[in-house]
Amino acid sequence: MLEVTPVPAFSDNYIWLVHGVGERSRVAVVDPGDAAPVNSVLDRDGLKLDAILITHHHPDHVGGVEAILRQHPAPVYGPRGERISTVDHRLGEGDECRLPSLNLRFRILDVPGHTAGHIAYFGHGAVFCGDTLFVAGCGRLFEGTPAQMTQSLQKLAALPANTQVFCAHEYTLSNLRFAQAVEPDNTDLAAFAERAQRVRGRGLPTVPSTIGIERAINPFLRCGEPAVQSAAQRKAGQPLADNTAVFGAIRQWKDNF
Ligand code: ZN
Ligand code: FE
């Protein structure tokens, strides 16, 4: 299993340190919005930075890149479809992100919706999905449509069930409150929410979850479920034609929850 260390940043971001396979002192860092916590972990633990991976252009994901590079020069990988000045390897759907010094390779998935060019990195039983899929939730639609986000989430949901989901924020408890408003009778969801509260009570991350867990508890992956559909239609006050319309209705509901 991939060794991944969370570096908490700001109020609720996770910057992920991905250790090399068989080379644990060499690392890649995912979405470093802030340089200070990353530089200090690298220096404290004597880690060599071999790559920076970016999922999308928002400042809380790229804001630390320049200041990290000044102390720890490394190649920067990021989405082909977004203008990020520090990115020197631009990636899109079907590309591979190869990091030979770390014995790592990731397949790139285009997952637009939160932003127009958002990508995810999939490999070694893990997916780094930025602000597209969260534990029990999904990102807001800043630059995309419900149809795009539905497709992106379905792409992630189709990954193997045991895939670990490394999203970029600890939004889990508030996402779970909403998920339970949508699906009050989902017993997997209720059990997961109880566990998550205990985990947060001890100050630990609820991330990563797995794709299998998300399929069972995340309302945004469950727009085909009758319970989610009827909750969405009740909220919208009208029949909803398809899963995209259901997704749009619950995304809007969550925006105002
Ligand atoms: Zn974002
Ligand atoms: Fe973010």
Side-chain angles (χ1 to χ4, degrees), residues 10 28 34 48 76 81 109-110 119 125 131 134 152 170 196-197 201 232 234 244 251 256:
F10 309 117
D34 194 6
K48 162 90 168 61
V76 183
L109 308 173
D110 281 342
I119 60 171
D131 288 356
F134 293 126
S152 296
E170 178 64 62
Q197 257 157 28
R234 233 179 296 121
T244 300
R251 185 57 261 182
N256 301 300

PDB file of all heavy atoms in Angstrom, residues 10 28 34 48 76 81 109-110 119 125 131 134 152 170 196-197 201 232 234 244 251 256:
ATOM      1  N   PHE A  10      -3.720  25.603   6.376  1.00  0.00           N
ATOM      2  CA  PHE A  10      -4.867  26.512   6.542  1.00  0.00           C
ATOM      3  C   PHE A  10      -5.828  25.905   7.579  1.00  0.00           C
ATOM      4  O   PHE A  10      -5.391  25.237   8.512  1.00  0.00           O
ATOM      5  CB  PHE A  10      -5.556  26.799   5.207  1.00  0.00           C
ATOM      6  CG  PHE A  10      -4.592  27.235   4.119  1.00  0.00           C
ATOM      7  CD1 PHE A  10      -4.414  26.460   2.972  1.00  0.00           C
ATOM      8  CD2 PHE A  10      -3.839  28.400   4.253  1.00  0.00           C
ATOM      9  CE1 PHE A  10      -3.524  26.855   1.974  1.00  0.00           C
ATOM     10  CE2 PHE A  10      -2.945  28.789   3.259  1.00  0.00           C
ATOM     11  CZ  PHE A  10      -2.789  28.015   2.120  1.00  0.00           C
ATOM     12  N   ALA A  28       6.852  12.924  -3.281  1.00  0.00           N
ATOM     13  CA  ALA A  28       6.128  13.895  -4.099  1.00  0.00           C
ATOM     14  C   ALA A  28       5.144  14.588  -3.173  1.00  0.00           C
ATOM     15  O   ALA A  28       4.704  14.010  -2.172  1.00  0.00           O
ATOM     16  CB  ALA A  28       5.383  13.186  -5.227  1.00  0.00           C
ATOM     17  N   ASP A  34       0.303  25.901   0.708  1.00  0.00           N
ATOM     18  CA  ASP A  34       1.129  26.693   1.615  1.00  0.00           C
ATOM     19  C   ASP A  34       2.506  26.047   1.693  1.00  0.00           C
ATOM     20  O   ASP A  34       2.623  24.825   1.818  1.00  0.00           O
ATOM     21  CB  ASP A  34       0.465  26.722   3.005  1.00  0.00           C
ATOM     22  CG  ASP A  34       1.072  27.788   3.910  1.00  0.00           C
ATOM     23  OD1 ASP A  34       1.926  28.579   3.439  1.00  0.00           O
ATOM     24  OD2 ASP A  34       0.698  27.816   5.096  1.00  0.00           O
ATOM     25  N   LYS A  48      13.679  14.187   0.573  1.00  0.00           N
ATOM     26  CA  LYS A  48      14.073  14.808  -0.691  1.00  0.00           C
ATOM     27  C   LYS A  48      12.827  14.956  -1.559  1.00  0.00           C
ATOM     28  O   LYS A  48      12.140  13.978  -1.835  1.00  0.00           O
ATOM     29  CB  LYS A  48      15.110  13.908  -1.368  1.00  0.00           C
ATOM     30  CG  LYS A  48      15.322  14.129  -2.841  1.00  0.00           C
ATOM     31  CD  LYS A  48      16.403  15.167  -3.113  1.00  0.00           C
ATOM     32  CE  LYS A  48      16.821  15.163  -4.591  1.00  0.00           C
ATOM     33  NZ  LYS A  48      15.736  15.488  -5.524  1.00  0.00           N
ATOM     34  N   VAL A  76       7.299  20.242 -11.675  1.00  0.00           N
ATOM     35  CA  VAL A  76       5.910  20.470 -11.257  1.00  0.00           C
ATOM     36  C   VAL A  76       4.975  19.943 -12.344  1.00  0.00           C
ATOM     37  O   VAL A  76       5.077  20.338 -13.509  1.00  0.00           O
ATOM     38  CB  VAL A  76       5.640  21.965 -11.011  1.00  0.00           C
ATOM     39  CG1 VAL A  76       4.201  22.162 -10.515  1.00  0.00           C
ATOM     40  CG2 VAL A  76       6.637  22.539 -10.006  1.00  0.00           C
ATOM     41  N   GLY A  81      -5.218  21.740 -19.001  1.00  0.00           N
ATOM     42  CA  GLY A  81      -6.283  22.691 -19.342  1.00  0.00           C
ATOM     43  C   GLY A  81      -6.343  23.929 -18.460  1.00  0.00           C
ATOM     44  O   GLY A  81      -7.323  24.662 -18.528  1.00  0.00           O
ATOM     45  N   LEU A 109      -6.724  11.367 -14.876  1.00  0.00           N
ATOM     46  CA  LEU A 109      -8.146  11.421 -15.229  1.00  0.00           C
ATOM     47  C   LEU A 109      -8.548  12.887 -15.316  1.00  0.00           C
ATOM     48  O   LEU A 109      -8.244  13.668 -14.408  1.00  0.00           O
ATOM     49  CB  LEU A 109      -8.993  10.736 -14.152  1.00  0.00           C
ATOM     50  CG  LEU A 109      -8.604   9.323 -13.727  1.00  0.00           C
ATOM     51  CD1 LEU A 109      -9.452   8.877 -12.535  1.00  0.00           C
ATOM     52  CD2 LEU A 109      -8.796   8.358 -14.890  1.00  0.00           C
ATOM     53  N   ASP A 110      -9.221  13.263 -16.403  1.00  0.00           N
ATOM     54  CA  ASP A 110      -9.837  14.592 -16.455  1.00  0.00           C
ATOM     55  C   ASP A 110     -11.112  14.547 -15.628  1.00  0.00           C
ATOM     56  O   ASP A 110     -11.985  13.700 -15.878  1.00  0.00           O
ATOM     57  CB  ASP A 110     -10.207  14.958 -17.902  1.00  0.00           C
ATOM     58  CG  ASP A 110      -8.999  15.437 -18.705  1.00  0.00           C
ATOM     59  OD1 ASP A 110      -7.986  15.812 -18.084  1.00  0.00           O
ATOM     60  OD2 ASP A 110      -9.088  15.440 -19.952  1.00  0.00           O
ATOM     61  N   ILE A 119      -7.739  17.841 -12.789  1.00  0.00           N
ATOM     62  CA  ILE A 119      -7.335  16.459 -13.045  1.00  0.00           C
ATOM     63  C   ILE A 119      -7.202  15.698 -11.721  1.00  0.00           C
ATOM     64  O   ILE A 119      -7.147  16.299 -10.650  1.00  0.00           O
ATOM     65  CB  ILE A 119      -6.002  16.349 -13.835  1.00  0.00           C
ATOM     66  CG1 ILE A 119      -4.843  17.013 -13.075  1.00  0.00           C
ATOM     67  CG2 ILE A 119      -6.153  16.950 -15.228  1.00  0.00           C
ATOM     68  CD1 ILE A 119      -3.463  16.753 -13.709  1.00  0.00           C
ATOM     69  N   GLY A 125      -3.340   1.987  -6.041  1.00  0.00           N
ATOM     70  CA  GLY A 125      -4.477   1.822  -5.149  1.00  0.00           C
ATOM     71  C   GLY A 125      -4.957   3.107  -4.507  1.00  0.00           C
ATOM     72  O   GLY A 125      -5.666   3.075  -3.496  1.00  0.00           O
ATOM     73  N   ASP A 131     -10.307  18.755  -5.292  1.00  0.00           N
ATOM     74  CA  ASP A 131     -11.607  19.236  -4.802  1.00  0.00           C
ATOM     75  C   ASP A 131     -12.758  18.691  -5.644  1.00  0.00           C
ATOM     76  O   ASP A 131     -13.807  19.329  -5.752  1.00  0.00           O
ATOM     77  CB  ASP A 131     -11.658  20.766  -4.828  1.00  0.00           C
ATOM     78  CG  ASP A 131     -10.792  21.406  -3.754  1.00  0.00           C
ATOM     79  OD1 ASP A 131     -10.208  20.671  -2.934  1.00  0.00           O
ATOM     80  OD2 ASP A 131     -10.705  22.646  -3.749  1.00  0.00           O
ATOM     81  N   PHE A 134     -15.090  14.625  -2.354  1.00  0.00           N
ATOM     82  CA  PHE A 134     -14.706  14.685  -0.944  1.00  0.00           C
ATOM     83  C   PHE A 134     -15.305  13.485  -0.223  1.00  0.00           C
ATOM     84  O   PHE A 134     -16.218  12.836  -0.755  1.00  0.00           O
ATOM     85  CB  PHE A 134     -15.215  15.971  -0.286  1.00  0.00           C
ATOM     86  CG  PHE A 134     -14.571  17.227  -0.807  1.00  0.00           C
ATOM     87  CD1 PHE A 134     -15.351  18.271  -1.283  1.00  0.00           C
ATOM     88  CD2 PHE A 134     -13.193  17.365  -0.816  1.00  0.00           C
ATOM     89  CE1 PHE A 134     -14.762  19.433  -1.763  1.00  0.00           C
ATOM     90  CE2 PHE A 134     -12.593  18.530  -1.290  1.00  0.00           C
ATOM     91  CZ  PHE A 134     -13.376  19.567  -1.767  1.00  0.00           C
ATOM     92  N   SER A 152     -17.592  13.333 -14.176  1.00  0.00           N
ATOM     93  CA  SER A 152     -16.316  13.229 -13.454  1.00  0.00           C
ATOM     94  C   SER A 152     -16.462  12.335 -12.228  1.00  0.00           C
ATOM     95  O   SER A 152     -15.596  11.498 -11.947  1.00  0.00           O
ATOM     96  CB  SER A 152     -15.851  14.624 -13.016  1.00  0.00           C
ATOM     97  OG  SER A 152     -15.587  15.428 -14.143  1.00  0.00           O
ATOM     98  N   GLU A 170     -10.676  18.528   4.712  1.00  0.00           N
ATOM     99  CA  GLU A 170     -11.392  17.836   5.787  1.00  0.00           C
ATOM    100  C   GLU A 170     -12.757  18.524   5.931  1.00  0.00           C
ATOM    101  O   GLU A 170     -12.934  19.410   6.761  1.00  0.00           O
ATOM    102  CB  GLU A 170     -10.580  17.928   7.086  1.00  0.00           C
ATOM    103  CG  GLU A 170     -11.228  17.278   8.303  1.00  0.00           C
ATOM    104  CD  GLU A 170     -11.397  15.775   8.175  1.00  0.00           C
ATOM    105  OE1 GLU A 170     -10.402  15.059   8.058  1.00  0.00           O
ATOM    106  OE2 GLU A 170     -12.551  15.315   8.188  1.00  0.00           O
ATOM    107  N   ALA A 196     -16.871   8.647  12.023  1.00  0.00           N
ATOM    108  CA  ALA A 196     -16.167   9.883  11.650  1.00  0.00           C
ATOM    109  C   ALA A 196     -16.155  10.867  12.814  1.00  0.00           C
ATOM    110  O   ALA A 196     -15.166  11.562  13.044  1.00  0.00           O
ATOM    111  CB  ALA A 196     -16.824  10.510  10.420  1.00  0.00           C
ATOM    112  N   GLN A 197     -17.248  10.912  13.567  1.00  0.00           N
ATOM    113  CA  GLN A 197     -17.295  11.817  14.711  1.00  0.00           C
ATOM    114  C   GLN A 197     -16.275  11.427  15.770  1.00  0.00           C
ATOM    115  O   GLN A 197     -15.610  12.287  16.348  1.00  0.00           O
ATOM    116  CB  GLN A 197     -18.695  11.823  15.323  1.00  0.00           C
ATOM    117  CG  GLN A 197     -19.475  13.065  14.922  1.00  0.00           C
ATOM    118  CD  GLN A 197     -20.964  12.879  15.002  1.00  0.00           C
ATOM    119  OE1 GLN A 197     -21.436  12.072  15.795  1.00  0.00           O
ATOM    120  NE2 GLN A 197     -21.688  13.607  14.194  1.00  0.00           N
ATOM    121  N   GLY A 201     -13.133  13.618  16.817  1.00  0.00           N
ATOM    122  CA  GLY A 201     -13.049  13.917  18.240  1.00  0.00           C
ATOM    123  C   GLY A 201     -11.643  13.712  18.780  1.00  0.00           C
ATOM    124  O   GLY A 201     -11.218  14.380  19.718  1.00  0.00           O
ATOM    125  N   ALA A 232     -34.352  14.587  -3.623  1.00  0.00           N
ATOM    126  CA  ALA A 232     -34.032  15.704  -4.522  1.00  0.00           C
ATOM    127  C   ALA A 232     -35.302  16.290  -5.134  1.00  0.00           C
ATOM    128  O   ALA A 232     -35.446  17.512  -5.250  1.00  0.00           O
ATOM    129  CB  ALA A 232     -33.082  15.235  -5.617  1.00  0.00           C
ATOM    130  N   ARG A 234     -38.343  16.131  -3.912  1.00  0.00           N
ATOM    131  CA  ARG A 234     -39.098  16.825  -2.859  1.00  0.00           C
ATOM    132  C   ARG A 234     -38.536  18.228  -2.667  1.00  0.00           C
ATOM    133  O   ARG A 234     -39.261  19.208  -2.588  1.00  0.00           O
ATOM    134  CB  ARG A 234     -39.004  16.023  -1.548  1.00  0.00           C
ATOM    135  CG  ARG A 234     -40.347  15.710  -0.911  1.00  0.00           C
ATOM    136  CD  ARG A 234     -40.200  14.882   0.366  1.00  0.00           C
ATOM    137  NE  ARG A 234     -39.627  13.553   0.127  1.00  0.00           N
ATOM    138  CZ  ARG A 234     -38.513  13.093   0.680  1.00  0.00           C
ATOM    139  NH1 ARG A 234     -37.830  13.833   1.546  1.00  0.00           N
ATOM    140  NH2 ARG A 234     -38.072  11.889   0.394  1.00  0.00           N
ATOM    141  N   THR A 244     -28.438  13.573 -13.852  1.00  0.00           N
ATOM    142  CA  THR A 244     -27.784  14.884 -13.876  1.00  0.00           C
ATOM    143  C   THR A 244     -28.654  15.940 -13.209  1.00  0.00           C
ATOM    144  O   THR A 244     -28.166  16.784 -12.449  1.00  0.00           O
ATOM    145  CB  THR A 244     -27.477  15.301 -15.331  1.00  0.00           C
ATOM    146  OG1 THR A 244     -26.623  14.317 -15.904  1.00  0.00           O
ATOM    147  CG2 THR A 244     -26.795  16.653 -15.396  1.00  0.00           C
ATOM    148  N   ARG A 251     -26.791  19.352  -5.427  1.00  0.00           N
ATOM    149  CA  ARG A 251     -25.646  20.254  -5.329  1.00  0.00           C
ATOM    150  C   ARG A 251     -26.140  21.655  -4.893  1.00  0.00           C
ATOM    151  O   ARG A 251     -25.553  22.309  -4.040  1.00  0.00           O
ATOM    152  CB  ARG A 251     -24.895  20.306  -6.661  1.00  0.00           C
ATOM    153  CG  ARG A 251     -23.591  21.101  -6.722  1.00  0.00           C
ATOM    154  CD  ARG A 251     -22.546  20.664  -5.735  1.00  0.00           C
ATOM    155  NE  ARG A 251     -22.530  21.520  -4.577  1.00  0.00           N
ATOM    156  CZ  ARG A 251     -21.682  21.396  -3.547  1.00  0.00           C
ATOM    157  NH1 ARG A 251     -20.773  20.433  -3.514  1.00  0.00           N
ATOM    158  NH2 ARG A 251     -21.746  22.218  -2.546  1.00  0.00           N
ATOM    159  N   ASN A 256     -26.810  25.702  -0.226  1.00  0.00           N
ATOM    160  CA  ASN A 256     -27.611  26.553   0.674  1.00  0.00           C
ATOM    161  C   ASN A 256     -27.932  25.853   1.990  1.00  0.00           C
ATOM    162  O   ASN A 256     -28.815  26.273   2.716  1.00  0.00           O
ATOM    163  CB  ASN A 256     -28.911  26.939  -0.019  1.00  0.00           C
ATOM    164  CG  ASN A 256     -28.648  27.680  -1.317  1.00  0.00           C
ATOM    165  OD1 ASN A 256     -28.028  28.736  -1.307  1.00  0.00           O
ATOM    166  ND2 ASN A 256     -29.064  27.110  -2.436  1.00  0.00           N
TER     167      ASN A 256
END
